[in-house]
Amino acid sequence: MTKISVLNLVPKYNDETMTDAFKRAVALAEFADKHDFLRYWVAEHHNSPGVLSSATEIILAHIADHTNRIRIGAGGVMLPNHTVFQVAEKYGTLEALFPGRIDLGVGRAPGTDIETAKLIYRNTYQLESFQKAIEELLDYFSKEARDFKVAPYPGVGTNVPVTILGSSLDSATVAAELGLPYSFAGHFAPNTVEAAFRLYRRNFKPSKYLDKPYTMLGLSANIADNKTDADELEFHAIQVFLQILDVKNRKEFEKINPDEAPELTSMQKFALRTMRGLHIGGDKDEASRQWREMKERYQPDELIAVCYIPEYDKLEKSYEMLEDIVLND
């Protein structure tokens, strides 16, 4: 059976406060904790008024403190923005505070625009140096790190599970070589999923961390009870996607009235056809059909879904229906 998890970027909409956005993120975590979701991940992003997940480990500590059993983690930490030593200290601390519940997903993209990256970049990782950095991180989490001249405390001996994140074949190569789980961002890079999973599974080397390949598939989900409500969610999902693409005009996510929305331009229609990531939507029957097709095609061990719905009751309902679809398939 495919496992199911939640990915959140803590979206903020233009008619709410930052505190409102964080309260919605916590409420969703509490819901997932009471249901059968395996993990709740928050992704690092910077310089976006509509995405509040920049101080990722602080948010994770807050969410972990409001939940009881669900795994909490970074989906992920963008390694160029941090030293490996700092990451080991921070996530080792989280593991000490919440034993057995902390995950660490690691990527090598900056998670932001070029100007912001200039302010926070610590390193630029090519494939070989990224792999070495991951190996160093794994060493810091091991018991052997106690013998290092400089060791991360907390961190040493915590063995925080590490997952490689990616949207390309390069990340698949690193995950396979190190024998680590692999999470692919299908929600914004749909065209490479199949090739990346195939490369990862074919080249996977069993390790002390994992004895066989483990794949996580990222996608977006907006599901409703009926077609009318589903169409409304789809409209808002499209608006969010277009706002994310418009990097020159960063702003809080807008709630746009479908009856007052301007017609999409030819460029926007082209972007929707060619660039929009994997997504599940519609009513339950339509969403079930879409999931079965994705499951057959990609065969993921786990589905991790992001959802941009500002009204909490609709957000929870969408995840509840997705859970039922995936776990009872």
Side-chain angles (χ1 to χ4, degrees):
M1 181 176 67
T2 308
K3 299 178 179 67
I4 185 169
S5 296
V6 175
L7 175 64
N8 197 356
L9 278 65
V10 194
K12 182 189 181 303
Y13 297 84
N14 60 351
D15 65 344
E16 66 181 5
T17 67
M18 293 184 185
T19 302
D20 291 334
F22 284 119
K23 284 182 177 178
R24 183 175 52 241
V26 171
L28 181 61
E30 290 172 332
F31 158 80
D33 190 46
K34 293 172 183 175
H35 283 245
D36 291 324
F37 292 85
L38 176 62
R39 52 185 120 236
Y40 186 103
W41 278 8
V42 176
E44 176 188 350
H45 285 270
H46 300 276
N47 190 31
S48 175
V51 176
L52 305 186
S53 55
S54 54
T56 314
E57 62 273 5
I58 297 176
I59 300 170
L60 294 176
H62 182 61
I63 288 172
D65 198 42
H66 283 77
T67 52
N68 296 304
R69 62 97 206 153
I70 194 169
R71 298 194 65 85
I72 305 294
V77 164
M78 301 297 102
L79 204 56
N81 304 336
H82 314 268
T83 67
V84 173
F85 189 83
Q86 287 176 308
V87 173
E89 286 182 324
K90 291 174 181 177
Y91 284 83
T93 299
L94 285 171
E95 174 63 24
L97 289 169
F98 306 99
R101 294 184 56 206
I102 301 302
D103 292 329
L104 175 56
V106 182
R108 67 185 182 113
T112 189
D113 57 87
I114 294 175
E115 291 304 312
T116 308
K118 290 178 182 177
L119 299 176
I120 59 177
Y121 247 29
R122 301 296 183 87
N123 201 350
T124 300
Y125 288 103
Q126 302 301 319
L127 187 61
E128 183 177 346
S129 58
F130 179 63
Q131 181 171 322
K132 288 181 178 178
I134 299 300
E135 291 172 335
E136 183 180 359
L137 180 61
L138 293 169
D139 286 342
Y140 278 141
F141 284 141
S142 71
K143 291 187 293 186
E144 288 72 24
R146 293 191 180 96
D147 298 327
F148 293 177
K149 185 176 182 180
V150 179
Y153 291 98
V156 172
T158 54
N159 294 311
V160 175
V162 174
T163 297
I164 302 298
L165 310 185
S167 57
S168 71
L169 300 184
D170 286 349
S171 55
T173 300
V174 172
E177 179 66 26
L178 297 180
L180 295 174
Y182 180 47
S183 180
F184 192 92
H187 51 293
F188 65 80
N191 300 321
T192 321
V193 179
E194 211 163 3
F197 278 178
R198 185 167 55 247
L199 186 151
Y200 168 69
R201 288 166 177 147
R202 184 175 63 237
N203 295 295
F204 181 85
K205 295 181 179 179
S207 69
K208 62 181 179 180
Y209 310 105
L210 197 63
D211 59 358
K212 61 181 180 179
Y214 189 91
T215 56
M216 297 170 62
L217 177 63
L219 51 73
S220 62
N222 295 278
I223 309 169
D225 279 320
N226 56 69
K227 187 178 186 308
T228 300
D229 290 346
D231 287 345
E232 182 180 338
L233 292 185
E234 174 66 5
F235 168 82
H236 288 296
I238 288 173
Q239 299 305 314
V240 168
F241 169 74
L242 294 174
Q243 285 181 250
I244 291 173
L245 281 187
D246 189 8
V247 294
K248 294 182 179 179
N249 188 28
R250 291 185 182 273
K251 55 186 177 181
E252 298 168 342
F253 293 127
E254 295 183 82
K255 297 178 185 177
I256 301 173
N257 187 330
D259 296 328
E260 299 174 1
E263 185 177 349
L264 295 180
T265 66
S266 57
M267 288 299 295
Q268 288 174 325
K269 292 177 181 177
F270 177 76
L272 284 169
R273 289 196 306 270
T274 59
M275 300 174 64
R276 191 178 180 193
L278 297 180
H279 57 280
I280 291 177
D283 60 19
K284 191 171 182 179
D285 288 341
E286 174 64 13
S288 296
R289 182 190 62 79
Q290 294 171 9
W291 164 240
R292 285 193 296 271
E293 291 176 355
M294 288 188 192
K295 182 179 180 181
E296 182 177 356
R297 181 172 182 180
Y298 304 118
Q299 299 179 3
D301 297 292
E302 184 176 340
L303 171 68
I304 185 163
V306 63
C307 187
Y308 297 96
I309 300 176
E311 297 86 2
Y312 180 75
D313 58 335
K314 296 179 181 179
L315 176 68
E316 183 179 295
K317 185 64 176 178
S318 180
Y319 272 111
E320 187 173 27
M321 295 177 75
L322 181 65
E323 176 191 23
D324 186 53
I325 289 169
V326 173
L327 297 186
N328 293 299
D329 181 55

